[in-house]
Amino acid sequence: MVILDRLPTKDRLVRFGLAIDNVCGLCASSSESRDHLFVECCFAKEVWDIVLTSCGVCYTLTNWEDLFNWLIANLKDKSLRIRILRLAWTGMLYSVWEERNHRLFRRSSRSVDALVNSIKLVVRVKLSRYGKPRIDDVNRQLCLNWGLF
């Protein structure tokens, strides 16, 4: 749904004729679109930056298309880092959308750290299906950052 830009973001709802405010529910600084919500929003950027740093990756988010192309080009390997990045990316999309909905419909919110911890928990649970990761010099810091010990 996210990739196809089919989520009912506020900009899409306005295009469908609904009379609603078009302000991002996470940062309240711009209109809410898929691109803003998952890449441009300061809240989502902070979540994504922490996730990438936890994976030992330096990448600056610019726009949806660049991010998506970067992901396609770089998530082809079967290493532990790539598995974590794939799971973290889908977890980040889900968590940011869920947080947006909680703020909009339940009037409750979580901090960036709480959201990152939630993503890390999901990644750990899903990685547990693969068994214990091989711990070597390359994976040691990665495992520490994601709590895989």
Side-chain angles (χ1 to χ4, degrees), residues 19-149:
I20 59 171
D21 73 343
N22 196 11
V23 178
C24 174
L26 297 176
C27 70
S29 68
S30 186
S31 63
E32 182 186 278
S33 66
R34 178 211 46 201
D35 296 10
H36 174 78
L37 199 57
F38 296 108
V39 179
E40 299 161 3
C41 176
C42 59
F43 183 86
K45 270 188 179 185
E46 195 173 343
V47 171
W48 190 230
D49 286 344
I50 293 169
V51 167
L52 288 174
T53 302
S54 297
C55 288
V57 174
C58 293
Y59 180 77
T60 304
L61 299 177
T62 53
N63 61 51
W64 176 264
E65 188 175 325
D66 289 346
L67 171 63
F68 193 67
N69 289 332
W70 181 84
L71 290 166
I72 289 170
N74 291 287
L75 297 186
K76 295 179 181 176
D77 194 357
K78 292 190 187 260
S79 69
L80 179 61
R81 180 182 318 275
I82 299 304
R83 277 192 209 159
I84 290 172
L85 272 171
R86 280 190 212 126
L87 292 170
W89 184 61
T90 57
M92 184 268 197
L93 294 176
Y94 179 84
S95 295
V96 167
W97 183 251
E98 181 183 49
E99 181 62 21
R100 176 253 190 210
N101 288 337
H102 279 261
R103 290 181 184 200
L104 189 60
F105 301 115
R106 295 184 184 175
R107 304 283 186 235
S108 67
S109 63
R110 294 180 288 179
S111 67
V112 167
D113 290 333
L115 211 65
V116 169
N117 288 335
S118 171
I119 293 167
K120 286 184 174 187
L121 177 63
V122 169
V123 168
R124 281 194 303 272
V125 167
K126 290 187 177 194
L127 280 176
S128 68
R129 295 184 219 161
Y130 297 106
K132 276 203 167 236
R134 187 185 82 235
I135 307 300
D136 56 17
D137 292 337
V138 175
N139 291 337
R140 185 173 319 285
Q141 189 60 47
L142 190 63
C143 291
L144 284 171
N145 291 345
W146 287 88
L148 299 176
F149 288 126

